[in-house]
Amino acid sequence: MSQALQEAELADPDERRGGTGWGRFLLGRLGGAAASLLLVIALGFLLFRMIPGDPVATLTKDRANSPEQMAALRERLGLDKPLIQQFLDYVFGIFRGDLGVSYGFNRPVADLIAERFWPTLLLVGTATVLAVALGLWLGVRAAWRRGSAFDRTHTGIALTLWSVPQFWLGLLLLIATHGLFPSGGMRSPDTPPGFFPQLGDIAYHLVLPCVTLLAVIYAQYMLVMRSSLLGEMDAEYLVTARAKGLREDMVRRRHAVPNALLPTVTLVFLQFGLVVSGTVTVETVFSWPGLGLLTYEALRVPDLPLLQGVFVVLAGSVIVMNLIAEVLYRVLDPRVRAQ
């Protein structure tokens, strides 16, 4: 028997099972994500056709058109075809990378989404980074000072903000800061050219929508981190660490917090997709030119190809982030990895 074969036979069966387990796990999760995406595609098609309104009537409401012209426009938009044929054209178009042409903008949907994606990513990314940093910091200190005035105050604030609708909070901020910050848009038309003036102008416009998102989503990170750390504080390994003479600050930073981080880290990825899809109200309130505002504009027609395309992208972001969170949880937690 060759040496390679002998080594394979003598290899740790747990290792071999772990490799097989990883492959089976990834295939299962990828299959589930693909099935979810197919369901989203079908649901998006049916959902937006239940919206009241006729796109052709909306697009021609300011012009006198004959029935023949209306019929010709309906044919050009593909609305004269049977519903099943429209669905098949929609599905095959997605697999070809063609999301159709917007009724209202008369531009490819893919181009519109690509154009509006970056403002949404800037808003959501900035708010998420700040929310994670603030939520973790407050959660750790609230848990470590359990029952103190600091804990009660910040837990109460977090619970209140977590329950506040984002659009309502945005309107309150607009009223409270009237004149201090721009009330809409992403840029001012009179901003001088140049990288730093333009960057400063975008940051200035970003303040209110970012604070609105931050105020709502940081609360969840704080409460989860607080709860997770409270569950670790009476663990035996912390008693051992204190018995060795380690200072409380060292016990917290080196031992308690790393073990309590796991639920919060995975929550960041789970929530990121949901925050992206939930920016419709915030972007509409502040006229932030991202996917959320684009969705609102499409609903007014209703612009079916644009609504379907944005829905697939937003729902797809949730599916992808859920997949990343599941894989990350398995990587970080040896108890899950051993199953």
Side-chain angles (χ1 to χ4, degrees), residues 10-32:
L10 293 174
D12 186 355
D14 290 337
E15 270 186 37
R16 295 200 302 272
R17 187 165 56 250
T20 306
W22 261 110
R24 191 182 305 115
F25 170 79
L26 288 175
L27 284 176
R29 293 300 181 270
L30 288 172

Side-chain angles (χ1 to χ4, degrees), residues 153-166:
T153 300
H154 286 282
T155 301
I157 292 173
L159 286 170
T160 301
L161 290 175
W162 195 7
S163 61
V164 170
Q166 292 178 346

Side-chain angles (χ1 to χ4, degrees), residues 185-203:
M186 187 175 173
R187 289 187 173 91
S188 299
D190 56 349
T191 304
F195 176 76
F196 289 107
Q198 293 289 332
L199 182 64
D201 185 49
I202 292 174

Side-chain angles (χ1 to χ4, degrees), residues 46-78:
L46 296 173
L47 178 66
F48 294 119
R49 275 158 179 77
M50 297 171 62
I51 298 175
D54 182 3
V56 174
T58 303
L59 292 172
T60 59
K61 65 179 180 180
D62 295 327
R63 301 190 302 271
N65 292 278
S66 66
E68 292 77 13
Q69 290 173 317
M70 299 282 282
L73 179 58
R74 191 175 298 277
E75 180 181 359
R76 182 170 69 83
L77 298 178

Side-chain angles (χ1 to χ4, degrees), residues 238-248 250-251:
L238 294 186
V239 177
T240 304
R242 291 188 180 98
K244 291 180 177 179
L246 292 179
R247 290 178 287 110
E248 277 295 297
M250 190 72 70
V251 171

Side-chain angles (χ1 to χ4, degrees), residues 174-187:
L174 278 176
I175 295 171
T177 63
H178 180 68
L180 295 178
F181 296 98
S183 59
M186 187 175 173
R187 289 187 173 91

Side-chain angles (χ1 to χ4, degrees), residues 134-147 150-151 155 220-239 242 248-265 267 335:
L134 181 62
L136 295 186
W137 186 81
L138 289 174
V140 168
R141 277 148 185 80
W144 212 254
R145 304 176 189 178
R146 176 174 42 185
F150 182 93
D151 179 28
T155 301
Q220 189 169 6
Y221 298 135
M222 177 200 162
L223 294 172
V224 170
M225 186 64 200
R226 178 183 179 275
S227 175
S228 180
L229 187 55
L230 285 176
E232 297 288 335
M233 286 179 60
D234 296 326
E236 293 182 358
Y237 69 90
L238 294 186
V239 177
R242 291 188 180 98
E248 277 295 297
D249 182 60
M250 190 72 70
V251 171
R252 184 182 70 237
R253 288 190 294 107
R254 290 279 184 88
H255 299 279
V257 171
N259 285 284
L261 270 176
L262 179 60
T264 311
V265 170
L267 179 67
R335 296 168 297 181

